[in-house]
Amino acid sequence: MESLEARVVDLEVKTAFQEDLLETLNNIVTRQAQQLDLLQKQIKALYQQMQSHGQGGSDGNPRHEIPPHY
């Protein structure tokens, strides 16, 4: 049977690895949340740009748009 000291050392090592893993995962989740926020802002800006473009005299119907070769 292992000595008590060896078991405690083993538990301390495992705890240290788990703390490092949790910190790494926390950093990843935080970075992904920031990326999602940025993507949502970009989508909102694109949506607003599309809305304002659609109100510039065109009703969104492609028949009323002038083809690019004219």
Side-chain angles (χ1 to χ4, degrees):
M1 185 172 213
E2 291 185 62
S3 69
L4 182 59
E5 184 178 342
R7 291 175 61 193
V8 169
V9 168
D10 187 44
L11 289 173
E12 288 175 342
V13 169
K14 287 180 181 181
T15 301
F17 279 118
Q18 288 177 349
E19 287 175 354
D20 183 57
L21 177 63
L22 284 174
E23 183 66 29
T24 301
L25 291 173
N26 185 45
N27 290 337
I28 291 170
V29 170
T30 301
R31 189 173 60 245
Q32 287 179 340
Q34 292 170 346
Q35 289 173 340
L36 283 173
D37 289 341
L38 177 63
L39 288 172
Q40 287 175 336
K41 288 177 185 178
Q42 290 174 340
I43 288 172
K44 184 177 180 180
L46 285 172
Y47 179 77
Q48 289 173 347
Q49 185 178 8
M50 288 177 55
Q51 292 296 319
S52 66
H53 178 68
Q55 295 175 0
S58 173
D59 62 0
N61 189 342
R63 291 183 190 180
H64 299 126
E65 294 181 10
I66 299 174
H69 61 278
Y70 285 130

mmCIF file of all heavy atoms in Angstrom, residues 16-49:
data_model
loop_
_atom_site.group_PDB
_atom_site.id
_atom_site.type_symbol
_atom_site.label_atom_id
_atom_site.label_comp_id
_atom_site.label_asym_id
_atom_site.label_seq_id
_atom_site.Cartn_x
_atom_site.Cartn_y
_atom_site.Cartn_z
ATOM 1 N N ALA A 16 -3.068 20.341 -9.444
ATOM 2 C CA ALA A 16 -2.351 21.365 -10.201
ATOM 3 C C ALA A 16 -2.672 21.261 -11.690
ATOM 4 O O ALA A 16 -2.903 22.276 -12.360
ATOM 5 C CB ALA A 16 -0.848 21.241 -9.972
ATOM 6 N N PHE A 17 -2.703 20.037 -12.229
ATOM 7 C CA PHE A 17 -3.052 19.859 -13.640
ATOM 8 C C PHE A 17 -4.492 20.282 -13.905
ATOM 9 O O PHE A 17 -4.789 20.910 -14.927
ATOM 10 C CB PHE A 17 -2.842 18.399 -14.082
ATOM 11 C CG PHE A 17 -1.415 18.069 -14.399
ATOM 12 C CD1 PHE A 17 -0.735 17.108 -13.664
ATOM 13 C CD2 PHE A 17 -0.746 18.709 -15.441
ATOM 14 C CE1 PHE A 17 0.582 16.799 -13.954
ATOM 15 C CE2 PHE A 17 0.568 18.402 -15.745
ATOM 16 C CZ PHE A 17 1.234 17.444 -14.997
ATOM 17 N N GLN A 18 -5.391 19.976 -12.999
ATOM 18 C CA GLN A 18 -6.792 20.363 -13.175
ATOM 19 C C GLN A 18 -6.959 21.882 -13.127
ATOM 20 O O GLN A 18 -7.733 22.447 -13.903
ATOM 21 C CB GLN A 18 -7.664 19.696 -12.115
ATOM 22 C CG GLN A 18 -7.846 18.209 -12.346
ATOM 23 C CD GLN A 18 -8.650 17.544 -11.250
ATOM 24 O OE1 GLN A 18 -8.918 18.119 -10.203
ATOM 25 N NE2 GLN A 18 -9.036 16.293 -11.485
ATOM 26 N N GLU A 19 -6.243 22.541 -12.246
ATOM 27 C CA GLU A 19 -6.311 24.001 -12.178
ATOM 28 C C GLU A 19 -5.803 24.627 -13.467
ATOM 29 O O GLU A 19 -6.392 25.585 -13.983
ATOM 30 C CB GLU A 19 -5.511 24.513 -10.980
ATOM 31 C CG GLU A 19 -6.168 24.245 -9.650
ATOM 32 C CD GLU A 19 -5.306 24.655 -8.463
ATOM 33 O OE1 GLU A 19 -4.132 25.042 -8.672
ATOM 34 O OE2 GLU A 19 -5.804 24.572 -7.338
ATOM 35 N N ASP A 20 -4.721 24.079 -14.013
ATOM 36 C CA ASP A 20 -4.181 24.584 -15.270
ATOM 37 C C ASP A 20 -5.173 24.364 -16.410
ATOM 38 O O ASP A 20 -5.389 25.252 -17.249
ATOM 39 C CB ASP A 20 -2.849 23.900 -15.587
ATOM 40 C CG ASP A 20 -2.215 24.441 -16.853
ATOM 41 O OD1 ASP A 20 -1.988 25.672 -16.927
ATOM 42 O OD2 ASP A 20 -1.965 23.639 -17.765
ATOM 43 N N LEU A 21 -5.789 23.200 -16.440
ATOM 44 C CA LEU A 21 -6.770 22.894 -17.473
ATOM 45 C C LEU A 21 -7.973 23.835 -17.378
ATOM 46 O O LEU A 21 -8.444 24.362 -18.392
ATOM 47 C CB LEU A 21 -7.220 21.437 -17.364
ATOM 48 C CG LEU A 21 -8.312 20.992 -18.339
ATOM 49 C CD1 LEU A 21 -7.816 21.101 -19.778
ATOM 50 C CD2 LEU A 21 -8.753 19.571 -18.032
ATOM 51 N N LEU A 22 -8.453 24.072 -16.177
ATOM 52 C CA LEU A 22 -9.584 24.980 -15.989
ATOM 53 C C LEU A 22 -9.245 26.397 -16.431
ATOM 54 O O LEU A 22 -10.062 27.073 -17.059
ATOM 55 C CB LEU A 22 -10.039 24.975 -14.523
ATOM 56 C CG LEU A 22 -10.850 23.764 -14.086
ATOM 57 C CD1 LEU A 22 -11.104 23.828 -12.581
ATOM 58 C CD2 LEU A 22 -12.154 23.683 -14.840
ATOM 59 N N GLU A 23 -8.060 26.847 -16.139
ATOM 60 C CA GLU A 23 -7.633 28.183 -16.555
ATOM 61 C C GLU A 23 -7.560 28.273 -18.080
ATOM 62 O O GLU A 23 -8.012 29.253 -18.676
ATOM 63 C CB GLU A 23 -6.275 28.516 -15.943
ATOM 64 C CG GLU A 23 -5.782 29.908 -16.255
ATOM 65 C CD GLU A 23 -6.640 30.994 -15.619
ATOM 66 O OE1 GLU A 23 -7.233 30.762 -14.562
ATOM 67 O OE2 GLU A 23 -6.717 32.093 -16.209
ATOM 68 N N THR A 24 -7.021 27.239 -18.705
ATOM 69 C CA THR A 24 -6.937 27.209 -20.164
ATOM 70 C C THR A 24 -8.327 27.214 -20.787
ATOM 71 O O THR A 24 -8.602 27.972 -21.726
ATOM 72 C CB THR A 24 -6.160 25.962 -20.629
ATOM 73 O OG1 THR A 24 -4.859 25.991 -20.057
ATOM 74 C CG2 THR A 24 -6.053 25.901 -22.136
ATOM 75 N N LEU A 25 -9.212 26.381 -20.277
ATOM 76 C CA LEU A 25 -10.580 26.331 -20.801
ATOM 77 C C LEU A 25 -11.299 27.654 -20.584
ATOM 78 O O LEU A 25 -12.047 28.105 -21.458
ATOM 79 C CB LEU A 25 -11.353 25.183 -20.151
ATOM 80 C CG LEU A 25 -10.912 23.769 -20.542
ATOM 81 C CD1 LEU A 25 -11.639 22.735 -19.699
ATOM 82 C CD2 LEU A 25 -11.150 23.521 -22.020
ATOM 83 N N ASN A 26 -11.090 28.288 -19.455
ATOM 84 C CA ASN A 26 -11.712 29.583 -19.180
ATOM 85 C C ASN A 26 -11.241 30.629 -20.192
ATOM 86 O O ASN A 26 -12.045 31.417 -20.695
ATOM 87 C CB ASN A 26 -11.397 30.034 -17.759
ATOM 88 C CG ASN A 26 -12.113 31.305 -17.395
ATOM 89 O OD1 ASN A 26 -13.302 31.453 -17.660
ATOM 90 N ND2 ASN A 26 -11.397 32.237 -16.781
ATOM 91 N N ASN A 27 -9.946 30.626 -20.499
ATOM 92 C CA ASN A 27 -9.414 31.568 -21.489
ATOM 93 C C ASN A 27 -10.018 31.323 -22.871
ATOM 94 O O ASN A 27 -10.341 32.269 -23.597
ATOM 95 C CB ASN A 27 -7.892 31.475 -21.552
ATOM 96 C CG ASN A 27 -7.229 32.018 -20.307
ATOM 97 O OD1 ASN A 27 -7.801 32.830 -19.591
ATOM 98 N ND2 ASN A 27 -6.022 31.570 -20.033
ATOM 99 N N ILE A 28 -10.187 30.060 -23.225
ATOM 100 C CA ILE A 28 -10.765 29.720 -24.526
ATOM 101 C C ILE A 28 -12.220 30.182 -24.600
ATOM 102 O O ILE A 28 -12.645 30.792 -25.585
ATOM 103 C CB ILE A 28 -10.649 28.207 -24.795
ATOM 104 C CG1 ILE A 28 -9.191 27.826 -25.022
ATOM 105 C CG2 ILE A 28 -11.510 27.788 -25.984
ATOM 106 C CD1 ILE A 28 -8.938 26.329 -25.052
ATOM 107 N N VAL A 29 -12.980 29.920 -23.555
ATOM 108 C CA VAL A 29 -14.395 30.322 -23.539
ATOM 109 C C VAL A 29 -14.520 31.843 -23.582
ATOM 110 O O VAL A 29 -15.373 32.384 -24.298
ATOM 111 C CB VAL A 29 -15.113 29.732 -22.296
ATOM 112 C CG1 VAL A 29 -16.485 30.330 -22.115
ATOM 113 C CG2 VAL A 29 -15.210 28.225 -22.422
ATOM 114 N N THR A 30 -13.660 32.536 -22.866
ATOM 115 C CA THR A 30 -13.690 34.000 -22.876
ATOM 116 C C THR A 30 -13.378 34.532 -24.267
ATOM 117 O O THR A 30 -14.062 35.436 -24.765
ATOM 118 C CB THR A 30 -12.670 34.559 -21.861
ATOM 119 O OG1 THR A 30 -12.994 34.061 -20.565
ATOM 120 C CG2 THR A 30 -12.681 36.063 -21.838
ATOM 121 N N ARG A 31 -12.369 33.976 -24.919
ATOM 122 C CA ARG A 31 -11.999 34.414 -26.267
ATOM 123 C C ARG A 31 -13.128 34.131 -27.252
ATOM 124 O O ARG A 31 -13.444 34.956 -28.106
ATOM 125 C CB ARG A 31 -10.702 33.733 -26.702
ATOM 126 C CG ARG A 31 -10.137 34.293 -27.997
ATOM 127 C CD ARG A 31 -8.760 33.735 -28.340
ATOM 128 N NE ARG A 31 -8.765 32.284 -28.499
ATOM 129 C CZ ARG A 31 -8.117 31.425 -27.716
ATOM 130 N NH1 ARG A 31 -7.384 31.862 -26.716
ATOM 131 N NH2 ARG A 31 -8.179 30.136 -27.925
ATOM 132 N N GLN A 32 -13.768 32.967 -27.136
ATOM 133 C CA GLN A 32 -14.861 32.637 -28.036
ATOM 134 C C GLN A 32 -16.063 33.556 -27.808
ATOM 135 O O GLN A 32 -16.740 33.939 -28.763
ATOM 136 C CB GLN A 32 -15.270 31.175 -27.872
ATOM 137 C CG GLN A 32 -14.264 30.214 -28.469
ATOM 138 C CD GLN A 32 -14.664 28.769 -28.293
ATOM 139 O OE1 GLN A 32 -15.486 28.419 -27.440
ATOM 140 N NE2 GLN A 32 -14.069 27.898 -29.105
ATOM 141 N N ALA A 33 -16.319 33.927 -26.567
ATOM 142 C CA ALA A 33 -17.411 34.856 -26.281
ATOM 143 C C ALA A 33 -17.136 36.217 -26.919
ATOM 144 O O ALA A 33 -18.046 36.852 -27.472
ATOM 145 C CB ALA A 33 -17.611 34.995 -24.774
ATOM 146 N N GLN A 34 -15.891 36.658 -26.858
ATOM 147 C CA GLN A 34 -15.529 37.923 -27.503
ATOM 148 C C GLN A 34 -15.688 37.830 -29.010
ATOM 149 O O GLN A 34 -16.167 38.779 -29.652
ATOM 150 C CB GLN A 34 -14.087 38.299 -27.147
ATOM 151 C CG GLN A 34 -13.898 38.672 -25.693
ATOM 152 C CD GLN A 34 -12.434 38.803 -25.297
ATOM 153 O OE1 GLN A 34 -11.537 38.376 -26.016
ATOM 154 N NE2 GLN A 34 -12.187 39.382 -24.134
ATOM 155 N N GLN A 35 -15.306 36.702 -29.595
ATOM 156 C CA GLN A 35 -15.462 36.521 -31.035
ATOM 157 C C GLN A 35 -16.935 36.510 -31.426
ATOM 158 O O GLN A 35 -17.316 37.091 -32.454
ATOM 159 C CB GLN A 35 -14.787 35.217 -31.486
ATOM 160 C CG GLN A 35 -13.276 35.271 -31.434
ATOM 161 C CD GLN A 35 -12.626 33.925 -31.717
ATOM 162 O OE1 GLN A 35 -13.252 32.875 -31.609
ATOM 163 N NE2 GLN A 35 -11.351 33.951 -32.080
ATOM 164 N N LEU A 36 -17.774 35.862 -30.616
ATOM 165 C CA LEU A 36 -19.209 35.848 -30.895
ATOM 166 C C LEU A 36 -19.794 37.256 -30.819
ATOM 167 O O LEU A 36 -20.621 37.630 -31.658
ATOM 168 C CB LEU A 36 -19.936 34.928 -29.912
ATOM 169 C CG LEU A 36 -19.809 33.436 -30.172
ATOM 170 C CD1 LEU A 36 -20.423 32.640 -29.028
ATOM 171 C CD2 LEU A 36 -20.461 33.067 -31.486
ATOM 172 N N ASP A 37 -19.377 38.030 -29.833
ATOM 173 C CA ASP A 37 -19.847 39.407 -29.727
ATOM 174 C C ASP A 37 -19.471 40.207 -30.963
ATOM 175 O O ASP A 37 -20.287 40.950 -31.512
ATOM 176 C CB ASP A 37 -19.281 40.089 -28.478
ATOM 177 C CG ASP A 37 -19.879 39.555 -27.187
ATOM 178 O OD1 ASP A 37 -20.967 38.935 -27.243
ATOM 179 O OD2 ASP A 37 -19.258 39.762 -26.126
ATOM 180 N N LEU A 38 -18.233 40.046 -31.424
ATOM 181 C CA LEU A 38 -17.779 40.758 -32.617
ATOM 182 C C LEU A 38 -18.577 40.334 -33.848
ATOM 183 O O LEU A 38 -19.010 41.179 -34.641
ATOM 184 C CB LEU A 38 -16.286 40.513 -32.844
ATOM 185 C CG LEU A 38 -15.684 41.136 -34.101
ATOM 186 C CD1 LEU A 38 -15.784 42.663 -34.040
ATOM 187 C CD2 LEU A 38 -14.239 40.708 -34.254
ATOM 188 N N LEU A 39 -18.803 39.035 -34.000
ATOM 189 C CA LEU A 39 -19.568 38.542 -35.139
ATOM 190 C C LEU A 39 -21.006 39.053 -35.110
ATOM 191 O O LEU A 39 -21.564 39.412 -36.154
ATOM 192 C CB LEU A 39 -19.548 37.010 -35.167
ATOM 193 C CG LEU A 39 -18.221 36.377 -35.557
ATOM 194 C CD1 LEU A 39 -18.268 34.865 -35.355
ATOM 195 C CD2 LEU A 39 -17.876 36.696 -36.990
ATOM 196 N N GLN A 40 -21.604 39.120 -33.921
ATOM 197 C CA GLN A 40 -22.964 39.641 -33.810
ATOM 198 C C GLN A 40 -23.018 41.114 -34.199
ATOM 199 O O GLN A 40 -23.954 41.552 -34.880
ATOM 200 C CB GLN A 40 -23.501 39.442 -32.399
ATOM 201 C CG GLN A 40 -23.840 37.998 -32.102
ATOM 202 C CD GLN A 40 -24.256 37.772 -30.660
ATOM 203 O OE1 GLN A 40 -23.890 38.537 -29.768
ATOM 204 N NE2 GLN A 40 -25.024 36.726 -30.424
ATOM 205 N N LYS A 41 -22.010 41.874 -33.806
ATOM 206 C CA LYS A 41 -21.963 43.288 -34.186
ATOM 207 C C LYS A 41 -21.809 43.431 -35.694
ATOM 208 O O LYS A 41 -22.428 44.300 -36.313
ATOM 209 C CB LYS A 41 -20.817 43.997 -33.465
ATOM 210 C CG LYS A 41 -21.061 44.204 -31.998
ATOM 211 C CD LYS A 41 -19.859 44.844 -31.321
ATOM 212 C CE LYS A 41 -20.075 44.939 -29.824
ATOM 213 N NZ LYS A 41 -18.902 45.501 -29.132
ATOM 214 N N GLN A 42 -20.976 42.578 -36.300
ATOM 215 C CA GLN A 42 -20.776 42.637 -37.737
ATOM 216 C C GLN A 42 -22.055 42.267 -38.487
ATOM 217 O O GLN A 42 -22.401 42.901 -39.490
ATOM 218 C CB GLN A 42 -19.625 41.723 -38.155
ATOM 219 C CG GLN A 42 -18.274 42.219 -37.705
ATOM 220 C CD GLN A 42 -17.159 41.220 -37.993
ATOM 221 O OE1 GLN A 42 -17.402 40.027 -38.187
ATOM 222 N NE2 GLN A 42 -15.936 41.704 -38.006
ATOM 223 N N ILE A 43 -22.756 41.257 -38.015
ATOM 224 C CA ILE A 43 -24.013 40.855 -38.646
ATOM 225 C C ILE A 43 -25.034 41.981 -38.525
ATOM 226 O O ILE A 43 -25.758 42.275 -39.483
ATOM 227 C CB ILE A 43 -24.541 39.543 -38.030
ATOM 228 C CG1 ILE A 43 -23.666 38.371 -38.481
ATOM 229 C CG2 ILE A 43 -25.995 39.296 -38.426
ATOM 230 C CD1 ILE A 43 -23.975 37.068 -37.791
ATOM 231 N N LYS A 44 -25.097 42.604 -37.369
ATOM 232 C CA LYS A 44 -26.033 43.707 -37.174
ATOM 233 C C LYS A 44 -25.710 44.866 -38.122
ATOM 234 O O LYS A 44 -26.610 45.459 -38.725
ATOM 235 C CB LYS A 44 -25.982 44.193 -35.722
ATOM 236 C CG LYS A 44 -26.986 45.258 -35.397
ATOM 237 C CD LYS A 44 -26.928 45.648 -33.933
ATOM 238 C CE LYS A 44 -27.937 46.730 -33.616
ATOM 239 N NZ LYS A 44 -27.900 47.117 -32.205
ATOM 240 N N ALA A 45 -24.423 45.173 -38.279
ATOM 241 C CA ALA A 45 -24.015 46.249 -39.180
ATOM 242 C C ALA A 45 -24.370 45.904 -40.627
ATOM 243 O O ALA A 45 -24.859 46.757 -41.379
ATOM 244 C CB ALA A 45 -22.517 46.515 -39.048
ATOM 245 N N LEU A 46 -24.149 44.654 -41.031
ATOM 246 C CA LEU A 46 -24.503 44.235 -42.381
ATOM 247 C C LEU A 46 -26.011 44.304 -42.597
ATOM 248 O O LEU A 46 -26.480 44.723 -43.658
ATOM 249 C CB LEU A 46 -23.994 42.814 -42.651
ATOM 250 C CG LEU A 46 -22.508 42.668 -42.885
ATOM 251 C CD1 LEU A 46 -22.118 41.188 -42.943
ATOM 252 C CD2 LEU A 46 -22.099 43.364 -44.162
ATOM 253 N N TYR A 47 -26.764 43.888 -41.605
ATOM 254 C CA TYR A 47 -28.224 43.931 -41.706
ATOM 255 C C TYR A 47 -28.700 45.374 -41.855
ATOM 256 O O TYR A 47 -29.545 45.664 -42.705
ATOM 257 C CB TYR A 47 -28.850 43.280 -40.469
ATOM 258 C CG TYR A 47 -30.358 43.307 -40.493
ATOM 259 C CD1 TYR A 47 -31.069 42.414 -41.295
ATOM 260 C CD2 TYR A 47 -31.071 44.213 -39.721
ATOM 261 C CE1 TYR A 47 -32.446 42.431 -41.327
ATOM 262 C CE2 TYR A 47 -32.450 44.243 -39.747
ATOM 263 C CZ TYR A 47 -33.131 43.348 -40.553
ATOM 264 O OH TYR A 47 -34.499 43.376 -40.583
ATOM 265 N N GLN A 48 -28.136 46.260 -41.059
ATOM 266 C CA GLN A 48 -28.522 47.668 -41.157
ATOM 267 C C GLN A 48 -28.113 48.244 -42.510
ATOM 268 O O GLN A 48 -28.848 49.040 -43.103
ATOM 269 C CB GLN A 48 -27.889 48.469 -40.025
ATOM 270 C CG GLN A 48 -28.489 48.163 -38.679
ATOM 271 C CD GLN A 48 -27.750 48.837 -37.533
ATOM 272 O OE1 GLN A 48 -26.647 49.348 -37.710
ATOM 273 N NE2 GLN A 48 -28.352 48.835 -36.355
ATOM 274 N N GLN A 49 -26.965 47.840 -43.019
ATOM 275 C CA GLN A 49 -26.515 48.303 -44.325
ATOM 276 C C GLN A 49 -27.463 47.809 -45.414
ATOM 277 O O GLN A 49 -27.814 48.556 -46.331
ATOM 278 C CB GLN A 49 -25.099 47.805 -44.589
ATOM 279 C CG GLN A 49 -24.478 48.334 -45.865
ATOM 280 C CD GLN A 49 -23.055 47.828 -46.047
ATOM 281 O OE1 GLN A 49 -22.590 46.970 -45.306
ATOM 282 N NE2 GLN A 49 -22.369 48.356 -47.028
#
